[in-house]
Amino acid sequence: MAHPPEAHPNTAAELGVQLVRLVRLIHRVKSQTGKKGPDGIEQSAYAILFHLVQDGPQRTGRLAESLHSEISTISRQSNALVQHGLVERQADPNDGRACLLAPTAEGQRIFREAHDQRTRWLAEVLADWSQADRLALNSLFARLNTDIETRTPNLAEPACAPQAKGGHA
């Protein structure tokens, strides 16, 4: 039986602390690798490449939606990926006026290389964990991600937030 969120405030609060800590650590690791890759492409542009390799060719608008980014940002970053031969534009088979972005063979190679590097690093991080703990972590992370994806946060305005004059928002 599912309990309302207020039934587990200490557990939820601690999870929040640990998630913030995880995000900070990931940002630290990313900052240590630099803002640009060895080929001069912004690190954030690689999210486009990874998305295309995992989910297949897509339009710029769909990528922007999936990556929670502006279309102009996706366009700029995908242009850099095209110029470096990691992504190519293809005619959309459903609409000849539109184009899809798709990874090239070189883009797929770069993706695999980065994926393998991340996998080796995470294996190092988890080296002292038991197999049962590693499996439990994967299972629980997958469950957490699925639940986060399916629930929109209800972030109500704080009670002490100032109201507009006249009581109108």
Side-chain angles (χ1 to χ4, degrees), residues 29-154:
V29 168
K30 284 184 174 184
S31 71
Q32 289 172 344
T33 61
K35 295 285 184 198
K36 296 198 177 212
D39 47 15
I41 298 174
E42 293 176 52
Q43 288 289 350
S44 56
Y46 287 104
I48 295 170
L49 177 62
F50 297 158
H51 205 73
L52 294 173
V53 169
Q54 290 185 321
D55 298 331
Q58 295 179 43
R59 288 186 182 186
T60 303
R62 181 162 179 226
L63 279 168
E65 183 180 305
S66 296
L67 295 170
H68 308 289
S69 192
E70 297 292 323
I71 289 179
S72 60
T73 301
I74 298 298
S75 293
R76 178 177 45 78
Q77 292 174 339
S78 61
N79 285 338
L81 292 168
V82 168
Q83 289 173 354
H84 282 82
L86 304 178
V87 169
E88 65 185 0
R89 289 184 178 86
Q90 300 175 343
D92 185 336
N94 298 322
D95 182 353
R97 300 168 296 169
C99 74
L100 300 175
L101 296 169
T104 62
E106 178 65 4
Q108 291 176 358
R109 185 191 69 75
I110 294 291
F111 170 81
R112 281 190 308 277
E113 192 176 284
H115 177 270
D116 291 349
Q117 183 179 16
R118 182 183 69 223
T119 299
R120 284 190 302 273
W121 174 67
L122 286 172
E124 218 176 277
V125 169
L126 299 174
D128 295 335
W129 290 42
S130 71
Q131 178 67 0
D133 284 350
R134 290 190 299 263
L135 291 171
L137 177 65
N138 284 336
S139 175
L140 292 170
F141 253 126
R143 182 177 172 188
L144 177 64
N145 285 334
T146 298
D147 288 348
I148 288 173
E149 287 171 343
T150 60
R151 288 178 175 82
T152 303
N154 182 10

